[in-house]
C-alpha cells in the first residue's frame, strides 16, 4: 500500500505527520518516509521541482509506505496550479498510490490561513483574500486566491488521476 497525504495546510497536517502517521506505520509495519533520509530527500526535491516547474520523474518507492507533505497539493496560497501539481504527482507516485486530502470547515480554514499570514506580517488583511485580476497585478505579495479555493475541484481532479482518493475532515 502506497499512501500519499497531500494536505491542505492548516488542517492538522503537522499533528498527523508528527504523531499519527509514524504510529500507524509502526503498528502496520509500513515505512514512514521521514524515517528514511533518501526518501525524505526525494520527496522534498519533488516538491521543489513542481514549484519551480521542472521536469518530474517517477520516484522509486517501496510497496508499503506513508508519505505526507501538504506542499504536494498546490502552490498554496494561490491555488493557481492545481492541475499541474496533480499531474506531476501522478508521474512521481503512480495512479495506484492512495491519496488522502485533509480539509477543514471553510470559515475556520480561511480564518486560520489569514491569521497565520497576519501573524507572520506577510501581508495586510485587506490584501490577503483577492480575486484573480487583482492578484496578478500584485503578484509580488502572497495572496489567498479565494475564487480558486474549491475542495470539490481538488477532489475531482485527483479522483480522475488516482484509483483511490479519500477526504478527511479536520473537525
Amino acid at each position: 500500500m502506497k499512501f500519499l497525504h497531500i494536505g491542505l495546510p492548516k488542517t492538522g497536517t503537522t499533528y498527523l505527520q508528527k504523531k499519527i502517521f509514524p504510529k500507524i506505520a509502526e503498528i502496520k509495519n509500513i515505512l514512514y518516509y521521514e524515517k528514511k533520509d533518501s526518501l525524505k530527500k526525494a520527496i522534498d526535491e519533488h516538491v521543489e521541482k513542481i514549484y519551480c516547474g521542472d521536469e518530474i520523474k517517477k520516484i522509486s518507492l517501496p510497496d508499503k509506505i506513508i508519505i505526507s507533505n501538504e506542499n504536494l497539493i498546490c502552490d498554496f496560497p494561490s491555488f493557481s496550479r492545481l492541475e499541474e501539481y496533480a499531474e506531476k504527482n501522478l508521474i512521481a507516485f503512480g495512479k495506484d498510490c492512495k491519496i488522502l486530502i485533509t480539509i477543514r470547515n471553510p470559515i475556520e480554514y480561511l480564518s486560520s490561513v489569514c491569521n497565520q499570514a497576519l501573524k507572520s506580517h506577510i501581508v495586510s488583511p485587506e490584501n490577503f483574500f483577492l480575486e484573480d485580476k487583482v492578484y496578478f497585478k500584485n503578484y509580488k505579495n502572497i495572496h489567498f486566491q479565494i475564487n480558486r479555493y474549491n475542495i470539490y475541484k481538488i477532489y475531482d481532479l485527483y479522483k480522475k488521476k488516482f484509483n483511490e482518493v479519500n477526504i478527511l475532515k479536520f473537525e
Side-chain angles (χ1 to χ4, degrees), residues 36-171:
K36 188 168 182 181
D37 289 340
S38 60
L39 282 174
K40 179 160 178 17
K41 182 179 177 187
I43 301 305
D44 290 345
E45 287 175 356
H46 172 68
V47 169
E48 188 175 323
K49 285 179 180 180
I50 296 176
Y51 183 78
C52 293
D54 293 343
E55 182 182 345
I56 300 299
K57 294 184 176 148
K58 182 159 183 62
I59 298 173
S60 180
L61 298 172
D63 289 335
K64 295 180 177 182
I65 187 167
I66 298 173
I67 300 165
S68 177
N69 189 317
E70 65 269 19
N71 294 314
L72 288 168
I73 198 162
C74 67
D75 56 333
F76 184 82
S78 74
F79 293 94
S80 63
R81 297 168 55 203
L82 284 168
E83 292 87 358
E84 178 186 351
Y85 274 61
E87 185 60 34
K88 289 184 174 184
N89 284 330
L90 177 63
I91 293 167
F93 302 110
K95 67 185 281 172
D96 292 333
C97 193
K98 297 174 194 259
I99 303 295
L100 176 65
I101 303 171
T102 48
I103 63 171
R104 189 172 180 177
N105 172 291
I107 293 170
E108 291 176 17
Y109 176 69
L110 296 174
S111 176
S112 181
V113 168
C114 185
N115 283 335
Q116 181 181 5
L118 296 177
K119 285 179 187 174
S120 304
H121 305 290
I122 294 172
V123 68
S124 61
E126 63 274 3
N127 290 322
F128 189 68
F129 296 108
L130 299 176
E131 294 179 0
D132 279 350
K133 63 182 179 181
V134 177
Y135 178 82
F136 287 112
K137 286 182 185 176
N138 298 292
Y139 193 73
K140 64 184 181 281
N141 295 323
I142 294 174
H143 300 77
F144 189 98
Q145 286 184 272
I146 192 82
N147 55 314
R148 292 180 187 245
Y149 172 66
N150 182 334
I151 194 60
Y152 299 109
K153 179 180 178 183
I154 295 168
Y155 175 78
D156 288 342
L157 182 62
Y158 276 85
K159 191 69 179 154
K160 288 177 187 172
K161 296 182 183 301
F162 292 87
N163 292 341
E164 186 175 332
V165 179
N166 295 287
I167 300 287
L168 177 65
K169 294 180 181 179
F170 176 83
E171 295 78 23

